[in-house]
Amino acid sequence: MKRNAYLLCVVIIVGALMISGCSSKKQTGPVEHQQLTWHEKRDKPFGTFDYPKITENEAFDLLENKFKVKIPKFISQVKGMLQNDVMTEGM
């Protein structure tokens, strides 16, 4: 009898967890914490583009304006850290 009561409690708890997990809405954080996440549905894929001789600012401008991709704010911080900590030519 005690075993049946224990089993019934476990089944009720697992069932309640399954129902609450399936019915909860997807929780997301603020947009500034999702900067690398795609937010819009694309009608067509990016395709192939060749931009061999453009500056970094032109590339960021293309990403933001033409492709509607959000550029994370920490890119400049990471670039500065790499320039200070990793010494390579061309950076």
Side-chain angles (χ1 to χ4, degrees):
M1 185 70 175
K2 192 174 188 179
R3 182 174 179 224
N4 287 340
Y6 176 72
L7 184 61
L8 180 63
C9 287
V10 169
V11 168
I12 290 172
I13 291 172
V14 169
L17 287 174
M18 287 176 55
I19 291 171
S20 67
C22 292
S23 64
S24 65
K25 293 182 180 178
K26 184 177 178 183
Q27 300 286 329
T28 58
V31 173
E32 59 267 9
H33 296 295
Q34 299 177 4
Q35 291 179 351
L36 297 177
T37 304
W38 188 259
H39 290 285
E40 295 180 12
K41 185 176 181 180
R42 301 278 313 169
D43 295 332
K44 57 183 179 178
F46 285 121
T48 56
F49 297 96
D50 189 20
Y51 301 106
K53 294 182 180 181
I54 60 173
T55 65
E56 182 179 7
N57 290 335
E58 291 172 332
F60 284 147
D61 186 52
L62 280 172
L63 285 172
E64 290 175 342
N65 298 324
K66 184 172 184 177
F67 299 115
K68 305 294 185 221
V69 174
K70 294 183 179 183
I71 306 297
K73 295 177 183 175
F74 61 85
I75 292 286
S76 59
Q77 295 172 348
V78 170
K79 186 176 176 184
M81 288 173 26
L82 288 174
Q83 286 177 343
N84 293 336
D85 297 337
V86 181
M87 298 295 189
T88 59
E89 292 183 26
M91 201 167 156

